[in-house]
Amino acid sequence: MAHRVGIVGGDGIGPEVIAEGLKVIKAAGVELDLVDYDLGGTRFLADGTVLPDETLEEWKSLDAIYLGAVGTPGVPPGVIERGLLLKMRFELDLYVNQRPFVSAELGVDMTVIRENTEGTYAGEGGILRKGTPHEVATQGSVNTRMGVERCIRHAFELAATTQRKHLTLCHKTNVLNFSGDLWQRTFDEVAVDFPSVNTAYNHVDAACIYFVQAPEQYDVIVTDNLFGDILTDLGGAVSGGIGFAASANLNPSRTGPSMFEPVHGSAPDIAGTGVANPTAAIISGAMMLNHLGETDAAARVTAAAQKFGSTEGGTVAIGDAIAAAVS
């Protein structure tokens, strides 16, 4: 029975890289029942649609969602981010953002687990006296024991399966003494359930240095929403470039579909030129296959993408090379 997958090609290079990802998945021998959704910045500019409630409800019956990229010049900041991406994360409970970074050449093999539904992105805060010299803006960080623990537990479960069995907590406990304390105490308590996993702690600013100077020291990293957003972009930069940065937005409880996307953005400046690297989208597709239980195909796609993802010749040529390697 084919897996039912929602496709959101989105804007810019999004449809181009998703087309290559689907080509590779087909070459790997996996059948998908695809449902296309016209969403993103272009759709918003056309008729004001962002993410209708009826579409969100329909998504709950899918096995997964495969997203290219969203964002178009002319759309006010925050409309697509909060109205589509964050709404999707919150309503589908995609509480783990998992991003692998692998480069044999650079000695990098690490995965960042980012809490995906709380922290500063939860939207707690407000503005008083806007536009006056006495304007006040607050933006709180929401951290619940449940939200923190389930993210940390997922990270420990992943670390327990790796060769190095090592997990690093990244936070800023010396300054963020309330949220940091909750994260550290929870991390220490969950660690008791995973005696085979070695642990460490880094302040997030120190981790930024280590990501650049010695990324090979890391195996699995777990962190909050904001720090994770920053660290994962840096991880992409130090492991070969953002064109190789894949991600999974996971609902490990499987109460709804998980969403898989490259993190490079819609890149409208190169849309339609055929030069976008689809490797991140292809690896994201492999992560989707793994989540769907197609572990053999996922492994073959990942290996081929790591080997041929730097192929010259543009979007289609890279997709063709990876598809040929898995067929």
Side-chain angles (χ1 to χ4, degrees):
M1 186 174 182
H3 305 287
R4 190 167 173 79
V5 175
I7 302 297
V8 183
D11 304 307
I13 64 171
E16 301 172 38
V17 297
I18 286 297
E20 298 308 309
L22 292 174
K23 176 198 295 181
V24 171
I25 289 171
K26 183 177 181 180
V30 178
E31 183 181 354
L32 301 179
D33 178 11
L34 305 179
V35 186
D36 287 304
Y37 294 92
D38 178 18
L39 297 171
T42 304
R43 175 69 185 276
F44 173 78
L45 291 175
D47 62 13
T49 297
V50 182
L51 177 54
D53 290 340
E54 56 268 27
T55 299
L56 190 62
E57 191 62 32
E58 184 178 329
W59 280 355
K60 294 178 181 179
S61 66
L62 298 175
D63 296 314
I65 299 168
Y66 194 24
L67 187 147
V70 290
T72 303
V75 178
V79 170
I80 300 300
E81 293 84 354
R82 297 208 69 87
L84 177 58
L85 297 177
L86 292 185
K87 183 177 181 180
M88 187 188 308
R89 292 177 194 172
F90 297 150
E91 296 298 324
L92 299 178
D93 205 19
L94 307 179
Y95 61 86
V96 165
N97 182 261
Q98 184 166 316
R99 299 193 187 182
F101 302 101
V102 179
S103 172
E105 181 181 354
L106 300 173
V108 179
D109 187 358
M110 62 183 179
T111 300
V112 177
I113 301 298
R114 164 191 172 190
E115 200 291 315
N116 214 27
T117 59
E118 297 189 344
T120 50
Y121 291 11
E124 190 275 330
I127 295 178
L128 297 173
R129 307 186 203 65
K130 187 174 183 178
T132 75
H134 304 287
E135 182 171 342
V136 178
T138 63
Q139 193 79 63
S141 179
V142 176
N143 298 266
T144 69
R145 171 66 191 224
M146 181 197 75
V148 172
E149 180 173 345
R150 65 184 185 175
C151 177
I152 287 174
R153 190 168 292 278
H154 179 86
F156 268 105
E157 289 170 351
L158 177 63
T161 68
T162 68
Q163 183 174 3
R164 294 171 58 193
K165 292 182 169 48
H166 192 275
L167 178 62
T168 302
L169 170 64
C170 288
H171 210 280
K172 192 68 176 171
T173 56
N174 58 334
V175 176
L176 303 178
N177 53 316
F178 299 124
S179 61
D181 178 64
L182 174 58
W183 275 83
Q184 185 68 71
R185 282 188 291 108
T186 306
F187 184 85
D188 293 342
E189 291 170 18
V190 175
V192 174
D193 295 335
F194 296 88
S196 67
V197 177
N198 297 310
T199 62
Y201 171 82
N202 287 163
H203 289 323
V204 68
D205 46 348
C208 288
I209 297 172
Y210 302 147
F211 264 44
V212 174
Q213 293 183 341
E216 66 278 0
Q217 72 178 279
Y218 290 111
D219 181 17
V220 181
I221 300 108
V222 65
T223 189
D224 81 350
N225 209 336
L226 177 60
F227 295 150
D229 196 0
I230 296 166
L231 284 175
T232 50
D233 281 355
L234 182 57
V238 302
S239 60
I242 202 72
F244 297 91
S247 79
N249 296 269
L250 299 173
N251 176 338
S253 303
R254 297 181 184 263
T255 57
S258 294
M259 186 269 280
F260 303 83
E261 61 170 334
V263 300
H264 47 54
S266 61
D269 56 322
I270 61 171
T273 65
V275 300
N277 190 329
T279 304
I282 292 169
I283 296 174
S284 298
M287 296 176 76
M288 178 174 70
L289 293 179
N290 191 67
H291 181 75
L292 293 172
E294 303 285 354
T295 54
D296 174 69
R300 287 186 285 118
V301 171
T302 301
Q306 291 171 354
K307 184 174 182 180
F308 296 103
S310 298
T311 300
E312 295 183 0
T315 310
V316 174
I318 295 173
D320 286 345
I322 296 173
V326 300
S327 60

